[in-house]
Amino acid sequence: MDLKELLWEDREKGIFRIRRTAITSQEIFELEREKIFNKCWLYAFHSSEVEKPGDYITRKVAEKPLLIVRGSDSEVRVFYNTCTHRGAAICREKSGNASTFNCFYHGWCFRHDGSLVSVPDPDGYASTHDRQKLNLKRVPHVDNYRGLYFVNFSENPPNLDSYLSKVKEPLDLVFDQVEGDFKIIPGSNEYYIRANWKLLPENSLDVYHYNILHRSFVDYQVKLGIDRQKFSRLHNSLASDLGNGHAVKEDESGFGRPIAHWSPLFGEEAKDEIAQIKQELVKKYGRERAWKMTELVRNTMIFPNLIILDNVAINIRQCWPVAPNKMRVLMWHLVPKDEEGKALKRRLNSFLTFFGVGGFGSPDDAEALESSQIGCETLPDDWLDMSRGMHRTPFGRDELPARTFWRQWYYLMTRE
Ligand code: FES
Ligand SMILES: [Fe+2]
């Protein structure tokens, strides 16, 4: 296959197309592992998931099983979750707190820092059998930005700071919303969509479909008493290419937001509290920055597969390729660490109403992506069109975020 034939961009004619094979091919699926997932910084976890010494989580990142532990020295270490004896998983729980990790196969025991502390029948080994060399293996590059931890499996990656670069600004607009820290609500939404993983990042910043595909949500909001006009404000949206394949889409859609907009969903008693939160942000950050934080809802895509949704609540969404026609989706709920009671309930409900697996939004999107996948498999040599806005300075409803994603994908896939 000639990879160069997968993208067709003609700026003069205003055309941007992707060959459907990019969505369906097994060969491309395998190449992506090497050229994208073994090269890019990949989101792995949030610091609050391993808050105290001994806290650990296990998680697959790019299909590699990892063990993430906060040591007694408070350092967070990321190991491959595989025993140095015969390869079994060191830890088989999803999360917990432990002083040591005992391999379930033959009982080798490791400390938080990965050192091998004991083996059964130590006399069974010669003195030249060096235990120091049998410590758990660490992932080569781990770094974080404001508590979002990323890993990189390549030999010589750029540093995380320069990889994220301009995408740090929309992240700051999220993390500055509260005085203290954020935390992840334990557990995640995890589900599979029978579609290629690349369809989700582009869908997540696609305003084009919103009022059409999610019509039942818009109608529901109108029924609750929200002015239908608010949804047409989506047309005032802005989208920006932030470099390295990252993009952000912002608009004044005026949905219920726990820091700025009361919605009938939240109940009468929340009105004053929400107004107060907004006031405080204006006081702290000034009118302009507070306007961005509170009035704009924002979906941020961090290439290749992380999406931060800062709208009806704050969600971290990630998709992993499982097969050319199957992705695994994970969603975590990010909340202010000290928020509790009714305020927290408001956020959780707001999240579930749209993004929950049985919510108004996520099932619509899953159905559309699965339908696209079938279409791509039917005519794999045809094109997908993403030309909207090519001939003008694009609006947020144009297909600029999708083009941003695909240009970076194409660059990484075709470079030597
Ligand atoms: S594989 Fe872990 S102790 Fe044998
Ligand atoms: Fe959607």
Side-chain angles (χ1 to χ4, degrees):
M1 177 185 308
D2 186 355
L3 294 170
K4 295 232 153 84
E5 306 241 302
L6 293 171
L7 182 145
W8 168 20
E9 177 164 15
D10 186 329
R11 288 182 196 241
E12 226 160 79
K13 290 192 180 130
I15 289 172
F16 189 100
R17 290 188 182 143
I18 295 291
R19 183 88 67 183
R20 293 178 180 207
T21 337
I23 298 293
T24 60
S25 148
Q26 179 71 31
E27 188 187 333
I28 287 174
F29 171 78
E30 280 158 25
L31 270 177
E32 282 172 347
R33 196 173 305 152
E34 187 42 45
K35 296 189 170 235
I36 294 189
F37 292 98
N38 277 344
K39 292 283 184 312
C40 295
W41 282 95
L42 304 170
Y43 175 71
F45 64 99
H46 182 257
S47 57
S48 65
E49 294 181 271
V50 282
E51 203 185 356
K52 297 185 294 300
D55 281 358
Y56 68 82
I57 50 173
T58 58
R59 184 159 293 162
K60 266 191 180 175
V61 172
E63 294 313 293
K64 296 178 191 10
L66 304 183
L67 169 63
I68 297 142
V69 199
R70 191 177 291 272
S72 22
D73 56 358
S74 281
E75 191 186 328
V76 181
R77 295 178 179 85
V78 182
F79 303 105
Y80 293 99
N81 188 9
T82 169
C83 181
T84 48
H85 178 219
R86 301 259 285 275
I90 288 303
C91 177
R92 298 195 298 161
E93 305 296 327
K94 278 205 158 169
S95 62
N97 186 282
S99 49
T100 51
F101 297 95
N102 287 301
C103 180
F104 77 110
Y105 195 2
H106 310 88
W108 284 24
C109 179
F110 299 85
R111 283 200 194 93
H112 292 150
D113 62 1
S115 55
L116 175 60
V117 27
S118 67
V119 300
D121 184 20
D123 296 341
Y125 293 92
S127 56
T128 46
H129 186 260
D130 188 355
R131 257 195 232 169
Q132 305 260 343
K133 296 218 168 81
L134 293 165
N135 296 338
L136 292 181
K137 194 158 179 209
R138 286 172 78 166
V139 170
H141 305 281
V142 179
D143 202 353
N144 86 93
Y145 184 69
R146 303 199 70 167
L148 298 172
Y149 273 81
F150 294 77
V151 298
N152 192 303
F153 298 111
S154 70
E155 268 172 28
N156 248 330
N159 62 43
L160 179 65
D161 214 55
S162 61
Y163 183 79
L164 295 177
S165 184
K166 284 194 262 177
V167 84
K168 289 189 290 182
E169 168 62 7
L171 294 180
D172 289 343
L173 292 172
V174 173
F175 286 105
D176 288 343
Q177 286 172 18
V178 291
E179 196 67 58
D181 289 336
F182 277 86
K183 69 173 182 201
I184 292 279
I185 295 284
S188 60
N189 281 215
E190 181 169 1
Y191 54 95
Y192 291 83
I193 301 178
R194 281 168 298 191
N196 187 271
W197 70 276
K198 298 187 286 300
L199 296 180
L200 194 63
E202 49 161 79
N203 160 275
S204 300
L205 271 69
D206 177 274
V207 182
Y208 203 163
H209 76 276
Y210 194 86
N211 283 337
I212 302 163
L213 181 66
H214 302 307
R215 179 62 192 260
S216 61
F217 181 68
V218 174
D219 288 347
Y220 172 65
Q221 299 283 300
V222 171
K223 219 169 169 181
L224 288 176
I226 294 179
D227 184 357
R228 192 177 282 277
Q229 279 300 104
K230 283 195 171 168
F231 294 97
S232 58
R233 285 198 217 156
L234 279 167
H235 292 286
N236 296 336
S237 58
L238 295 166
S240 319
D241 176 338
L242 301 175
N244 292 344
H246 316 315
V248 66
K249 173 276 325 168
E250 297 172 297
D251 60 71
E252 282 185 272
S253 64
F255 304 105
R257 295 195 77 205
I259 58 158
H261 293 285
W262 178 82
S263 148
L265 256 186
F266 298 151
E268 279 299 320
E269 73 286 355
K271 262 186 182 163
D272 292 347
E273 216 181 291
I274 290 172
Q276 176 81 22
I277 296 173
K278 186 172 164 182
Q279 278 285 314
E280 275 161 24
L281 288 170
V282 173
K283 229 191 281 164
K284 191 162 171 204
Y285 291 103
R287 217 154 265 292
E288 200 187 322
R289 188 163 176 81
W291 174 80
K292 279 191 182 171
M293 289 164 93
T294 59
E295 295 299 322
L296 296 183
V297 303
R298 181 174 10 262
N299 294 2
T300 305
M301 169 177 70
I302 301 176
F303 191 89
N305 66 340
L306 178 69
I307 301 118
I308 310 287
L309 302 159
D310 172 22
N311 43 54
V312 295
I314 304 168
N315 306 295
I316 299 177
R317 180 199 260 178
Q318 197 171 30
C319 56
W320 292 110
V322 177
N325 61 356
K326 193 173 181 186
M327 72 175 108
R328 184 165 62 97
V329 183
L330 290 156
M331 296 260 296
W332 294 273
H333 202 132
L334 190 70
V335 304
K337 193 174 167 193
D338 300 325
E339 195 170 271
E340 50 188 19
K342 285 186 181 152
L344 179 59
K345 197 169 167 203
R346 225 159 38 222
R347 262 181 204 276
L348 296 175
N349 281 345
S350 184
F351 163 73
L352 284 175
T353 304
F354 190 78
F355 290 109
V357 282
F360 276 98
S362 296
D364 291 346
D365 288 313
E367 195 171 334
L369 304 195
E370 292 188 352
S371 180
S372 294
Q373 184 70 33
I374 293 168
C376 290
E377 283 160 14
T378 308
L379 294 173
D381 292 331
D382 275 21
W383 298 92
L384 298 170
D385 187 280
M386 295 162 205
S387 306
R388 187 174 175 179
M390 277 286 282
H391 67 298
R392 61 184 178 202
T393 306
F395 298 104
R397 63 179 183 267
D398 290 336
E399 291 171 299
L400 176 121
R403 294 193 289 270
T404 303
F405 174 88
W406 279 105
R407 281 188 192 119
Q408 181 71 3
W409 178 87
Y410 182 74
Y411 163 70
L412 293 174
M413 292 292 281
T414 54
R415 76 175 170 174
E416 290 309 316

